[in-house]
Amino acid sequence: MLRGAARTSASTRAAGRRFFSQTSRATSRPAVAAALTSASIAAAGALWYATSARNVVHNDAPAPEVGTKVALEGTSKSGEDAELTTLVWGANKTHVLEDDLPESVKVPTPTGWFDNVALRDLALHEQHAACVDARGDVYQWGDGFFGNEPGSSHGRPRLTLRGKNITQLQLTRTRVFALSASGRIYVLSSRQADQALPNGAQTPASTPWWGTGWLWGEEEEVDFAEITPKETLKRGEKFVQISAGTDHMLALTSEGRTFAHPITLNANSHGQLGFRKCDVPSPADLIHFHLPHKHPRVPLELTPRSIADPYAKASPAIRPAGSAPRNSEALIGKDAAAAGLDDTNIRFSDKLFEVPALRGVKVERVATGGRSSFVKTAGGKVLGWGANEFGQIGLGANVTLETITVPTEVILWRTTPGTMQTKCIDVFAGGDLTMFEVERADGSGMPYIDVLSCGNGQWGGLGNALYSNAQSTPVRAKNVSGLLEYSEAAQNLQAIVPETISISPTGHVLLTLDTRKHAGPGGGGKDVVVWGANFDYQLGNGKRGSVPTPTVLLTPSGERFMLHRKRAKEVRDLQGQVWKKGVEVEQRAVAGWNNSVVYWRICS
């Protein structure tokens, strides 16, 4: 068939040449022109049919599914011509991934919201999400933000906080916390309806009572507040990292000081704040927050529930009828109970308080689980406190307390020989699961990296090939611990270091292995390793069913799913405007609530 088409095409070209050579002598031969045109069309059709044989669809072929290889290769409209494309998969019931995608996305699929967009940060929650674009502005979206019922109308990311040069975000059910490059911490509501400015109120950007935001172009359209430290910071000291749990937040300064912030009245339900006594603004004075006079404050004493109410988890049959309710004096203090505090207001607490037990301890990193807190010191030690009913603090089988109220060191060398030196490099937490990245060396060989996990591994999140409801002694995760690769530069074996670990509050884990560092010239990207809960396809393997062993993520065609780093020709903001050209960007994986996202992040 191809041979015949070639002969037809050749004869057509020859006839065409004869026809055009004769047009100078005879310009009026409509019959010959019509015949030649018909022959050309027939030849072109035959050639197209022959060369398109690879696109034949057989009648017994299975129907393509939404979010399969076709979507990954960019044949859909979104991401078709984009240099930078964001990939999403997992649950999309509350439209935190995209409007037009189904409720469950089985494999990594491009989203059109972030075409040619590189972000500073992106955070996901159960019903809402937020990101920081290249200009440092905050955008929010999701059914929880727009106030829509699941399945109703929704919208694209909406600009909320602008002009603050934001670098990091943390989300809770009712709040969005934003850290600026200058070290300021802002808070705004997670719901669009609660961001409206009260009638007659000054804009939050105007610090003085007379309002000067209009003069500098800082007038805002949404209501937000700034959280300031109770204790005075040193000259040049600023906040450099924040991490939020369900009801509390930790903040780290450039001098290594650790501060905690109560988000709600449940902020210290398991001792996760590290202190009990603090103060908050008086509820009656919140309507006058913009005035410069001294605001009255209410003393607050947040007592852990296991201490104030030992029957907190008892069944109704044995629970005393007079057990303390949530806002009782036993849990929040006499003055706070009488004041009638409302912790749904973003100005419920406007201060950060230094953790007393960590004064004088230089901290390099903070991390929070749902109801637990962790810090990594400059010496490579880890301290943890808060909820421990699943063993998520990692204190071992001999510690059976459900509440740890004082920062306590986590022992990470229990199962190693006495000559082995262990140093913690990083700590990650999410929900009731905790992971420690540690370096081990005995002096006789190359140091290697282990990933240790503890907490609730009911859906395989521990990564030790077991399903365990509670694990108090940190165990070694399989397939990502003790890895070595040959370094072209050093001409020897080097440890493969996990670059980041993202732990979902719902039980799945995304780990990025830095397999690019020692790859040498022409090396590829970074491998993504996934495991844990997988009821909504959040692991991206196209299947349902939890995976208890760390597994390299593959594309639908069977190739390794790699994260890359490159210099983008241009980076746009979420308004579609070009921000800069020639920007260094890299892909970053984030685990959300039953879903996952890989986005392009601006390299700092």
Side-chain angles (χ1 to χ4, degrees):
M1 183 175 181
L2 283 174
R3 196 176 299 112
R7 287 198 300 266
T8 305
S9 179
S11 62
T12 303
R13 288 196 300 268
R17 285 195 297 268
R18 289 194 298 269
F19 170 70
F20 286 112
S21 63
Q22 295 170 0
T23 53
S24 58
R25 297 191 299 267
T27 59
S28 174
R29 294 185 179 179
V32 176
L36 290 174
T37 303
S38 301
S40 300
I41 294 175
L47 183 62
W48 173 86
Y49 181 85
T51 56
S52 302
R54 61 185 180 89
N55 293 328
V56 173
V57 178
H58 301 280
N59 59 357
D60 58 345
E65 298 179 349
V66 178
T68 55
K69 180 181 177 182
V70 175
L72 184 62
E73 292 180 347
T75 57
S76 60
K77 185 175 181 180
S78 63
E80 193 173 52
D81 301 321
E83 180 189 7
L84 306 178
T85 302
T86 297
L87 301 175
V88 299
W89 63 93
N92 190 39
K93 298 179 180 65
T94 56
H95 304 100
V96 297
L97 300 183
E98 192 186 286
D99 291 350
D100 299 329
L101 293 177
E103 291 188 354
S104 293
V105 183
K106 296 184 178 182
V107 295
T109 304
T111 172
W113 282 353
F114 302 103
D115 286 347
N116 291 322
V117 172
L119 305 173
R120 296 187 181 185
D121 197 13
L122 182 143
L124 304 171
H125 206 263
E126 184 177 11
Q127 296 187 356
H128 67 100
C131 70
V132 185
D133 72 349
R135 300 188 188 276
D137 297 332
V138 177
Y139 290 77
Q140 295 175 248
W141 68 94
D143 288 351
F145 171 69
F146 291 108
N148 300 326
E149 294 296 330
S152 61
S153 61
H154 30 270
R156 296 175 61 88
R158 181 181 183 272
L159 174 63
T160 53
L161 187 62
R162 60 180 179 179
K164 302 300 179 185
N165 198 16
I166 302 302
T167 59
Q168 185 186 356
L169 290 177
Q170 289 289 293
L171 306 185
T172 68
R173 187 179 62 85
T174 60
R175 309 276 206 281
V176 175
F177 293 92
L179 174 66
S180 71
S182 61
R184 295 176 178 269
I185 300 176
Y186 302 96
V187 58
L188 60 160
S189 176
S190 63
R191 297 182 69 250
Q192 183 180 21
D194 296 335
Q195 293 180 353
L197 291 171
N199 294 330
Q202 302 293 330
T203 59
S206 307
T207 303
W209 64 271
W210 56 82
T212 58
W214 62 272
L215 184 62
W216 307 105
E218 296 178 353
E219 292 291 337
E220 298 288 343
E221 298 178 356
V222 300
D223 188 23
F224 67 92
E226 181 180 354
I227 302 175
T228 57
K230 182 74 171 180
E231 294 79 4
T232 305
L233 299 182
K234 298 179 182 179
R235 184 179 180 86
E237 185 179 12
K238 66 177 183 178
F239 290 103
V240 294
Q241 186 204 349
I242 57 175
S243 181
T246 304
D247 298 290
H248 76 295
M249 182 183 70
L250 296 183
L252 178 66
T253 71
S254 55
E255 295 292 329
R257 298 166 64 188
T258 306
F259 288 75
H261 170 74
I263 300 176
T264 69
L265 291 173
N266 283 330
N268 204 39
S269 61
H270 292 77
Q272 60 265 43
L273 280 179
F275 55 83
R276 295 188 192 181
K277 295 183 179 181
C278 57
D279 54 32
V280 295
S282 172
D285 199 62
L286 291 180
I287 58 176
H288 305 296
F289 64 88
H290 59 281
L291 297 178
H293 63 72
K294 187 176 181 180
H295 300 279
R297 304 188 70 82
V298 176
L300 192 63
E301 185 173 359
L302 299 174
T303 304
R305 191 174 293 272
S306 62
I307 298 175
D309 188 5
Y311 296 96
K313 292 189 175 181
S315 64
I318 62 175
R319 180 179 175 86
S323 293
R326 180 169 178 262
N327 295 346
S328 68
E329 296 181 12
L331 293 177
I332 64 175
K334 181 178 180 180
D335 295 333
L341 296 175
D342 178 18
D343 58 2
T344 61
N345 194 304
I346 61 172
R347 294 176 178 82
F348 158 72
S349 177
D350 59 351
K351 297 293 182 183
L352 289 151
F353 305 90
E354 188 172 7
V355 180
L358 297 178
R359 286 184 179 138
V361 178
K362 186 174 179 59
V363 174
E364 287 186 344
R365 176 171 169 80
V366 297
T368 56
R371 298 157 300 142
S372 55
S373 303
F374 300 89
V375 296
K376 185 188 80 70
T377 67
K381 299 184 181 299
V382 177
L383 304 175
W385 66 101
N388 192 48
E389 64 266 66
F390 300 104
Q392 58 263 50
I393 303 297
L395 299 181
N398 294 330
V399 180
T400 58
L401 297 174
E402 293 186 356
T403 299
I404 308 298
T405 59
V406 178
T408 306
E409 183 178 357
V410 181
I411 306 301
L412 300 173
W413 54 87
R414 294 183 186 274
T415 59
T416 60
T419 58
M420 184 72 70
Q421 300 293 323
T422 300
K423 177 183 177 181
C424 183
I425 299 177
D426 214 337
V427 57
F428 305 89
D432 297 320
L433 195 60
T434 310
M435 294 192 178
F436 309 94
E437 181 184 329
V438 300
E439 181 186 73
R440 301 196 191 275
D442 58 2
S444 62
M446 294 300 301
Y448 60 91
I449 304 298
D450 274 351
V451 176
L452 307 179
S453 56
C454 59
N456 186 0
Q458 180 179 358
W459 299 284
L462 294 173
N464 62 343
L466 297 175
Y467 297 97
S468 175
N469 286 36
Q471 179 64 46
S472 57
T473 301
V475 295
R476 197 167 182 250
K478 296 179 179 293
N479 299 341
V480 292
S481 299
L483 300 180
L484 299 173
E485 67 176 347
Y486 186 78
S487 171
E488 297 284 353
Q491 299 293 310
N492 62 6
L493 291 175
Q494 298 286 334
I496 301 179
V497 181
E499 185 178 63
T500 60
I501 302 177
S502 183
I503 306 175
S504 168
T506 55
H508 76 284
V509 182
L510 303 182
L511 184 147
T512 303
L513 280 176
D514 192 1
T515 49
R516 184 176 181 269
K517 183 177 181 180
H518 304 297
K526 304 171 184 177
D527 283 289
V528 179
V529 185
V530 300
W531 70 94
N534 193 31
F535 303 115
D536 289 296
Y537 308 100
Q538 57 262 49
L539 296 186
N541 57 9
K543 304 175 182 178
R544 272 183 171 158
S546 300
V547 179
T549 305
T551 306
V552 175
L553 180 61
L554 302 177
T555 65
S557 58
E559 300 176 355
R560 291 155 60 192
F561 186 96
M562 308 289 281
L563 303 186
H564 298 278
R565 178 174 180 147
K566 66 179 181 179
R567 185 174 296 276
K569 295 180 181 179
E570 65 179 23
V571 170
R572 297 178 179 270
D573 59 17
L574 279 176
Q575 299 290 341
Q577 304 297 323
V578 176
W579 175 64
K580 280 184 181 179
K581 296 184 178 181
V583 181
E584 195 75 17
V585 295
E586 63 180 357
Q587 287 180 299
R588 179 65 58 92
V590 177
W593 290 61
N594 296 322
N595 49 37
S596 305
V597 174
V598 170
Y599 71 98
W600 287 96
R601 181 175 179 268
I602 299 175
C603 299
S604 56

